[in-house]
Amino acid sequence: MATQHDIALTRALAELPGPLPSSGVIHVAIPHASRFTIVGNHLTQHAELSLVAIGIGVHIQSLPTGSEVGIKALASRFTEGETRIAAALRELEAHGYLSRTRVRLANGRLVTRTVFCNQPGAALRGGTAVTPVPLVAPAPVPAPAPLVAPAPVLVVAAPAPTPPPSPEPTPVPEESHPPVRVPSRTAPKAARRPLPRPRELTPELRQTASAILAGLRSHAKELVLSEDDVEALIPGVAAWLERDAHPDTIRHALTTELPQPPKHPAKIVKHRLTVLLPPPLPGAQELAPVRRALVIPLQNCDGCDRAFRATAPGHCRGCRNEPTATAA
């Protein structure tokens, strides 16, 4: 036995003029009186967005301003996991529907500000600031009740007999506009320095470095390194040993003032081996005393009492050459 809904639907389909399509969907359009959201076909029929991204975009657009739309909030609401939801949010962000930026509040706390734009293509074409509006349609003003309530009519829209829609302005294809990109508010991070390496990794240096790394957990229980981590960090410790760093000095540099709790012990050890690398010890040439210029003292000539520079008292050059000139 059919339900009343099936009977009403069959009756409405029978009253449609013209033949019904043999396949495809037939829309039953019932006007909404409350709790509805206007969503553009550019989102619901987007050619590049996944179905999860389209569904999340429609859901976010239907929420009121101030609702939580983070990854964990959406994962607690839907059956999709955090990985799929995070990928869908990145799709919406890449196509300009979603914008997430880090801002600092008046109390100094950093928060993530999420902005959803229902028409990113129109915002790009307009070139002016878009005033944010509530994403939920306002409640309509109740109309006065009629004296006689008419019987409910089920409206069925078929594609063939419907009149042509009113002409609309030709939309600009979205492919011609680049997606909305929010510039980063933070400076780009500098490239990380590579792990130092010795000039020659001898078997003695490898054995000592491996023993130091494996024994770090005896001095700091948080620094538990795997065999792969020890093998990857051996060149860094060997570079310290090559520069005549004592093993106790290396252990102190790697185990002092650790962050609590250390999430990645191997990354902490690698960072400290790179940043705190001591310079090589100076050699004999660097420690040689500075040579000073020899200063010859002034002397008074025993013959003419003139001043001249010499290491010992005596006659100046003129007095020494005077007998020669006389003889000539």
Side-chain angles (χ1 to χ4, degrees):
M1 182 177 180
T3 61
Q4 293 182 357
H5 176 75
D6 296 334
I7 295 175
L9 183 59
T10 303
R11 184 182 304 171
L13 293 176
E15 294 176 358
L16 284 177
L20 295 177
S22 58
S23 62
V25 65
I26 301 176
H27 294 280
V28 177
I30 303 176
H32 290 278
S34 62
R35 292 182 58 81
F36 66 94
T37 303
I38 300 176
V39 182
N41 287 340
H42 55 82
L43 173 59
T44 58
Q45 301 177 8
H46 204 286
E48 299 180 4
L49 289 177
S50 63
L51 191 60
V52 178
I54 293 175
I56 291 180
V58 174
H59 174 71
I60 294 177
Q61 190 171 345
S62 67
L63 296 176
T65 300
S67 301
E68 295 292 337
V69 291
I71 297 176
K72 293 187 179 298
L74 294 174
S76 63
R77 171 66 176 82
F78 300 101
T79 57
E80 285 77 8
E82 295 185 4
T83 303
R84 297 184 64 185
I85 291 177
L89 292 178
R90 287 193 297 267
E91 291 183 46
L92 294 173
E93 194 170 7
H95 288 83
Y97 289 96
L98 193 67
S99 172
R100 293 178 290 184
T101 56
R102 297 284 288 176
V103 297
R104 188 178 298 275
L105 301 180
N107 57 2
R109 187 166 62 93
L110 285 173
V111 297
T112 300
R113 175 168 293 171
T114 304
V115 179
F116 189 89
C117 181
N118 64 336
Q119 296 190 52
L124 287 175
R125 292 193 299 270
T128 56
V130 180
T131 304
V133 296
L135 298 181
V136 178
V141 179
L147 297 179
V148 179
V153 179
L154 183 64
V155 181
V156 180
T162 53
S166 58
E168 296 181 357
T170 304
V172 179
E174 297 182 359
E175 289 76 5
S176 61
H177 299 283
V180 176
R181 298 290 184 181
V182 180
S184 175
R185 296 179 179 269
T186 58
K189 296 183 179 179
R192 295 183 177 180
R193 296 165 54 184
L195 185 70
R197 304 185 66 88
R199 290 191 297 268
E200 181 182 359
L201 186 58
T202 61
E204 293 78 8
L205 286 178
R206 174 180 289 275
Q207 182 179 358
T208 306
S210 177
I212 293 175
L213 291 170
L216 288 179
R217 62 177 181 266
S218 301
H219 302 271
K221 60 181 181 180
E222 300 89 349
L223 296 182
V224 179
L225 303 177
S226 63
E227 292 184 356
D228 295 338
D229 295 336
V230 171
E231 186 66 24
L233 296 173
I234 282 178
V237 179
W240 283 58
L241 294 172
E242 189 181 52
R243 300 189 177 191
D244 294 334
H246 196 272
D248 293 339
T249 304
I250 301 176
R251 295 190 190 96
H252 183 269
L254 298 180
T255 58
T256 304
E257 296 181 359
L258 293 174
Q260 297 296 332
K263 297 182 179 180
H264 305 285
K267 292 183 179 180
I268 296 175
V269 174
K270 179 181 179 181
H271 175 74
R272 294 194 174 189
L273 288 174
T274 305
V275 176
L276 303 179
L277 178 67
L281 290 177
Q285 297 179 356
E286 289 82 359
L287 296 178
V290 180
R291 294 184 178 180
R292 296 182 179 180
L294 180 61
V295 179
I296 301 176
L298 289 174
Q299 306 289 345
N300 290 334
C301 179
D302 295 338
C304 62
D305 201 24
R306 292 179 179 179
F308 69 99
R309 291 189 179 275
T311 57
H315 293 82
C316 65
R317 182 180 302 177
C319 294
R320 290 196 302 269
N321 295 335
E322 184 177 354
T324 304
T326 303

